[in-house]
Amino acid sequence: EGAGTMEESAMRRVIQKSDFAKMEIIGQFNLGFIITKLKNDLFIIDQHATDEKYNFERLQRVTKIHSQVLFKPMPVRVSPAHFLTILDHLPIFQANGFDFCGPAIDELKNGVEVQMEDEDPTSDRKSRLFLKKIPYSKNTTFGIDDIVQLCTLLADAGSGYDESGSSSAKEQGIKHLMGLRIPKLRAMFASRACRSSIMIGTGLMKAKMRKLVRNMGTMDQPWNCPHGRPTMRHLFDLTPLEKMHEASDARM
């Protein structure tokens, strides 16, 4: 993961997402990679990884998570910090297939400030928050542990969110938070995206290569596939070669 973060940081310094529309398609290499040129720089793009990331983000954006209603609402046993995180981010939990009920939810709906003093949300006797819906999947079981994981993701994402920034930055921050998915759902989307994406070993026409590269400019995070593999790398700076040619032409 650390290597992936370093690679993403390096790519951000070299190009912006808007540059993908300006890239010239040179051709395909080894039936798995697209060679592109931007100004004097050559890049190599993994055709499977970039298509997988495009499909992954599309699935996360358009797929509605189906929920199942619990026969009996389950007390939510979490820390006070996580308790407040849930109340502050209900739409994000609902987007992940969870829904809640209980006195704390009633207070929110009635515009009453939720009081935490002298309350222990981890206690069955005093529980004020209950889980009434969970995500539904034939092969995956969801529960309180997934709620805690989402609370942690929200805390980590919130620590890097600057509320005093520009309106566009705030909009991007909100979009990022709404796009957060618990690891189990993320793994499901990654698996579906992988199976539906262009595989290594597939020959591509230039029009298809161009479409894959253009798609990268529309992604939220085009730099790595869902599994962390870089989608592209910088190959070569052609500037020294051009200077050599210019010097050679001058001598002639």
Side-chain angles (χ1 to χ4, degrees), residues 9-71:
S9 178
M11 290 310 305
R12 283 183 180 276
R13 287 198 299 270
V14 175
I15 63 172
Q16 302 296 321
K17 287 195 287 185
S18 58
D19 289 330
F20 289 112
K22 307 170 188 173
M23 284 186 173
E24 176 187 352
I25 307 299
I26 304 301
Q28 188 183 32
F29 171 70
N30 206 28
L31 293 179
F33 303 91
I34 303 168
I35 308 300
T36 68
K37 181 174 179 285
L38 179 67
K39 298 179 181 177
N40 289 333
D41 291 298
L42 288 182
F43 296 90
I44 184 168
I45 296 174
D46 184 322
Q47 66 187 41
H48 175 73
T50 188
D51 196 33
E52 182 183 29
K53 187 57 177 288
Y54 177 78
N55 288 325
F56 173 77
E57 290 195 2
R58 177 181 56 79
L59 284 170
Q60 287 213 126
R61 186 174 61 253
V62 304
T63 302
K64 178 175 174 56
I65 307 300
H66 295 287
S67 301
Q68 61 179 0
V69 179
L70 297 178
F71 177 74

Side-chain angles (χ1 to χ4, degrees), residues 97-238:
F98 297 102
D99 207 357
F100 304 89
C101 61
I105 300 298
D106 294 336
E107 290 173 10
L108 276 181
K109 289 180 178 178
N110 294 327
V112 178
E113 183 178 355
V114 179
Q115 299 296 322
M116 287 295 297
E117 56 185 359
D118 300 324
E119 281 285 3
D120 178 9
T122 65
S123 167
D124 282 340
R125 184 174 59 85
K126 290 186 177 182
S127 186
R128 303 172 65 236
L129 185 66
F130 293 83
L131 182 63
K132 69 175 182 179
K133 289 182 181 180
I134 59 174
Y136 171 76
S137 172
K138 291 181 180 178
N139 304 314
T140 307
T141 302
F142 299 90
I144 300 295
D145 288 345
D146 300 295
I147 292 174
V148 172
Q149 285 185 323
L150 185 51
C151 286
T152 302
L153 288 173
L154 284 165
D156 292 343
S159 64
Y161 174 42
D162 183 9
E163 293 189 359
S164 64
S166 65
S167 58
S168 60
K170 290 180 182 178
E171 185 178 337
Q172 281 298 110
I174 294 171
K175 180 181 176 183
H176 175 65
L177 291 179
M178 287 302 299
L180 287 177
R181 295 293 178 266
I182 56 176
K184 288 178 184 176
L185 289 177
R186 183 180 171 86
M188 288 168 54
F189 288 136
S191 177
R192 292 179 191 174
C194 182
R195 293 195 300 268
S196 64
S197 298
I198 295 170
M199 295 298 176
I200 297 293
T202 303
L204 302 176
M205 301 294 289
K206 267 198 172 183
K208 184 61 176 179
M209 288 186 261
R210 187 173 295 108
K211 182 178 180 181
L212 289 175
V213 174
R214 299 296 183 266
N215 282 347
M216 295 182 76
T218 68
M219 297 183 211
D220 182 36
Q221 297 291 332
W223 319 107
N224 296 85
C225 82
H227 306 99
R229 188 171 70 253
T231 54
M232 64 183 297
R233 293 183 185 275
H234 180 256
L235 272 184
F236 196 71
D237 182 357
L238 298 173

